[in-house]
């Protein structure tokens, strides 16, 4: 009877005093490893009061992680949904905090259960060091993960709009990119850079349509409030340019819904009237704050083939720039925000069309060089700069889809078309020809994207470069005058700048 009773209480895990020193050391390491791998397992084994709660939290966390991985493998876009949806980010943030705190408490509880005095002096020091490292790693990881996830959640909420998303129009998403040049001494916003990005909702094949800010007589879509004000287009002369449409929208703000920005809506309607495409969304970049975003990225690399001046301020009396302060010489440059902004916007000794090419180079450099490693290493700086630089009406619920499309675009390729001389005369444009030009380019892009999707390869031209169709080709009838400002060929556009 005595023998049976002694065997009953000789539990080597719960009662380490029945073990010799080496086995007590092994017991301590096993309990610590079990807690690191499965928080709550030690507490459950010891039948601590409420011990099921930590283990349930751990099992639920691992189950959710496993389910998420399976869904991501089946549907890649779900990964972007997890990273961009504020509601899911809030849930993940709460789960991370609960799981992290649970892990830390289980580690501390395990150290107590091990009974440090039962370990050998040598093992005791190593065990304490390992347990301390584990607690610090989990604490630091939880704190850092919480901070990053909360920053991402705030970025999504601050940068993107609420509400439901729109369906593709004729299978495409059309997004208007505006560069705002509102600054000191300037009344209102006048978009300095106007680009329409049309993306195939299935393949990701994209067309970038550059519109000159000095285009005249622009028509509005039929449902635009400004179509009644300007039934023959925005045709009041040299002052009625495309970039002045924004102010027209603001002046007729009472004719637009309260939940939209009238100037932006007017620009979307005008660009839709010019191109024949239904413009669903916009993104506006404040060019004055643009340099802070590039600085947050760590700069961008661009190859300039021409000298570009950094000018002195304009003399109020004459309206002319003072002496050139500095030149951006030809060659490859890694621009900070200040020099990138000047390179994109410098006006002296160049035409508007050359500036459009330089602005596109800067845009391309930002897109190409904002890779995952840059985003990860500089996320906080970029997240702080972005809401002050970019405004958009793209809803939060569609961000994941656009991120997925952006990755597809890298494979499908991008086609570019500039509605500039000699192909288009901005002073007296033939909008029927412009719309046909856009439609033909979109059709070519769709065909190229479908072929690339079928082949699983990036479409390239004879030189092996990404397909890029620029309409700087043979002069069109009626383009005399403004045609003198054009470079005249696709090769000339490439001779202005490029992205390494």
């Amino acid at each position: 009877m005595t023998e049976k009773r002694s065997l009953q209480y000789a539990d080597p895990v719960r009662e380490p005093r029945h073990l010799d020193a080496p086995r007590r050391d092994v017991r301590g390491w096993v309990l610590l490893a079990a807690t690191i791998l499965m928080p709550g397992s030690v507490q459950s084994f010891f039948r601590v009061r409420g011990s099921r709660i930590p283990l349930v939290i751990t099992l639920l966390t691992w189950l959710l992680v496993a389910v998420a991985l399976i869904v991501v493998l089946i549907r890649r876009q779900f990964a972007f949904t997890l990273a961009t949806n504020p509601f899911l980010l809030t849930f993940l943030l709460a789960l991370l905090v609960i799981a992290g705190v649970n892990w830390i408490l289980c580690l501390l509880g395990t150290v107590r259960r091990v009974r440090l005095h039962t370990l050998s002096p040598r093992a005791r020091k190593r065990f304490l060091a390992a347990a301390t490292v584990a607690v610090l790693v989990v604490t630091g990881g939880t704190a850092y993960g919480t901070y990053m996830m909360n920053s991402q959640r705030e970025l999504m909420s601050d940068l993107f709009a609420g509400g439901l998303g729109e369906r593709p129009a004729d299978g495409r998403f059309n997004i208007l990119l505006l560069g705002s040049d509102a600054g000191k001494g300037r009344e209102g916003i006048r978009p300095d850079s106007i680009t329409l990005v049309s993306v195939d909702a299935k393949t990701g094949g994209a067309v970038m349509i550059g519109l000159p800010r000095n285009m005249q007589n622009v028509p509005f879509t039929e449902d635009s409030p400004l179509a009644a004000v300007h039934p023959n287009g925005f045709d009041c002369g040299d002052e009625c340019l495309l970039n002045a449409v924004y102010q027209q929208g603001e002046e007729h703000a009472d004719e637009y819904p309260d939940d939209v920005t009238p100037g932006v809506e007017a620009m979307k309607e005008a660009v839709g009237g010019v191109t024949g495409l239904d413009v669903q969304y916009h993104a506006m970049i404040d060019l004055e704050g643009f340099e802070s975003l590039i600085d947050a990225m760590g700069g961008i690399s661009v190859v300039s083939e021409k000298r570009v001046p950094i000018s002195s301020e304009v003399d109020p009396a004459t309206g002319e720039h003072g002496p050139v302060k500095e030149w951006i010489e030809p060659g490859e440059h890694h621009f900070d925000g200040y020099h990138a902004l000047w390179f994109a916007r410098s006006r002296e000794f160049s035409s508007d069309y050359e500036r459009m090419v330089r602005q596109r180079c800067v845009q391309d450099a930002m897109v190409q060089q904002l890779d995952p490693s840059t985003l990860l290493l500089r996320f906080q700086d970029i997240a702080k700069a972005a809401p002050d630089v970019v405004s958009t009406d793209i809803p939060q619920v569609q961000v994941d889809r656009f991120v997925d499309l952006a990755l597809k675009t890298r494979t499908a390729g991008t086609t570019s078309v500039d509605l500039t001389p000699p192909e288009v005369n901005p002073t007296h444009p033939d909008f029927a020809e412009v719309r046909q030009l856009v439609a033909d380019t979109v059709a070519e892009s769709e065909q190229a994207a479908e072929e690339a999707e079928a082949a699983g390869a990036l479409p390239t031209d004879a030189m092996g470069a990404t397909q890029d169709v620029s309409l700087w080709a043979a002069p069109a009838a009626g383009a005399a005058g403004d045609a003198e400002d054009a470079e005249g060929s696709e090769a000339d556009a490439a001779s202005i700048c490029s992205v390494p």
Side-chain angles (χ1 to χ4, degrees), residues 207 415 437-449 467 469 471:
V207 176
T415 302
L437 189 61
V438 171
D440 291 343
T441 307
V442 168
E444 292 172 7
S445 172
E446 289 177 348
Q447 181 178 355
Q467 187 178 33
V469 182
L471 300 176

Side-chain angles (χ1 to χ4, degrees), residues 57-75:
I57 291 174
T58 299
L59 293 174
L60 181 60
T61 301
W62 283 120
L63 177 62
L64 291 174
V65 170
V67 170
L69 288 175
I70 292 172
V71 175
V72 168
L73 290 175
I74 297 173
R75 188 170 182 265

